[in-house]
Amino acid sequence: MNFDHLFEVALREVGIEPRIVSTQAQAAGVPPLQTIEDCVVVHLHGEYRNAESMLNTSTELSQYGDHMQALLNQIVSNHGLLVAGWSAEHDHALRETLHREHRQFYPAGWVSPHPLSGKAASIATVIGATLLEGTADDAFTRLADAVAAMRARGARQSPADTSGGRRSYRGRADRPGIRAERGRSAARRRASRRSCRRRRRP
């Protein structure tokens, strides 16, 4: 909701060119979010290079234009949320949207250096947010490390079986414990057969 362009600067530094939305006309032209490959930065309250787009007073923050509201509804109802550094005290229309549109089917987190109180605590309850207590620097660094670790674990896993739905255990047969168990089973069968032959002799 800030008026600056720090998100855009950070994204471009890592080679991502974001789609920027800060006006009603831009919000009207946004396709379904799942069709956008990289990312979208939505300046919900406008941005400083376009003074007419900025929403700052209590009256201005009481409602959004139709196209921006439709985009906000799409974000709130169809995606998980990670809130960082929001007091929730002054953004009337945004609070109402979260109350009305958010579905707890999607996860939510809230980054704050202190326990939430007031309107922020109320909204966190509505969206079922998990409090991530700490600074934004610390929280997003830990989040980035966790995502990197998940990707590394995924890369180490073997590819999914493509044998037409039949489950394959071939990979398990190479494990030492399974080889040893199979060896013991074969030995027991051989011993049993020898015992049977001895009993059958006259």
Side-chain angles (χ1 to χ4, degrees), residues 86-92 95 98-99 110 116-126:
W86 183 40
S87 71
E89 290 295 323
H90 310 290
D91 307 302
H92 316 299
R95 290 198 309 269
L98 288 167
H99 272 280
W110 198 303
L116 300 177
S117 60
K119 291 183 173 64
S122 175
I123 290 295
T125 300
V126 167

Side-chain angles (χ1 to χ4, degrees), residues 9-25:
V9 171
L11 288 165
R12 287 168 179 145
E13 285 180 354
V14 294
I16 297 173
E17 182 59 39
R19 183 175 187 135
I20 311 301
V21 179
S22 61
T23 66
Q24 282 291 305

Side-chain angles (χ1 to χ4, degrees), residues 100-123:
R100 184 180 65 249
E101 301 290 340
H102 183 263
R103 293 182 287 170
Q104 289 199 15
F105 175 82
Y106 299 100
W110 198 303
V111 177
S112 174
H114 309 291
L116 300 177
S117 60
K119 291 183 173 64
S122 175
I123 290 295

Side-chain angles (χ1 to χ4, degrees), residues 127-169:
I127 65 176
T130 298
L131 177 62
L132 308 174
E133 196 164 335
T135 65
D137 282 348
D138 178 54
F140 282 101
T141 297
R142 285 187 285 127
L143 177 62
D145 290 342
V147 170
M150 290 171 62
R151 286 177 174 166
R153 284 197 298 271
R156 289 196 296 269
Q157 293 177 352
S158 59
D161 176 54
T162 57
S163 56
R166 293 172 297 172
R167 193 170 180 181
S168 172
Y169 291 91

Side-chain angles (χ1 to χ4, degrees), residues 44 62-64 68-77 81 86 91-103 123 126-127:
L44 188 60
S62 64
Q63 64 179 10
Y64 302 116
M68 192 67 80
Q69 183 66 62
L71 177 59
L72 179 60
N73 291 349
Q74 183 184 167
I75 294 169
V76 168
S77 62
L81 300 176
W86 183 40
D91 307 302
H92 316 299
L94 181 53
R95 290 198 309 269
E96 291 174 5
T97 301
L98 288 167
H99 272 280
R100 184 180 65 249
E101 301 290 340
H102 183 263
R103 293 182 287 170
I123 290 295
V126 167
I127 65 176

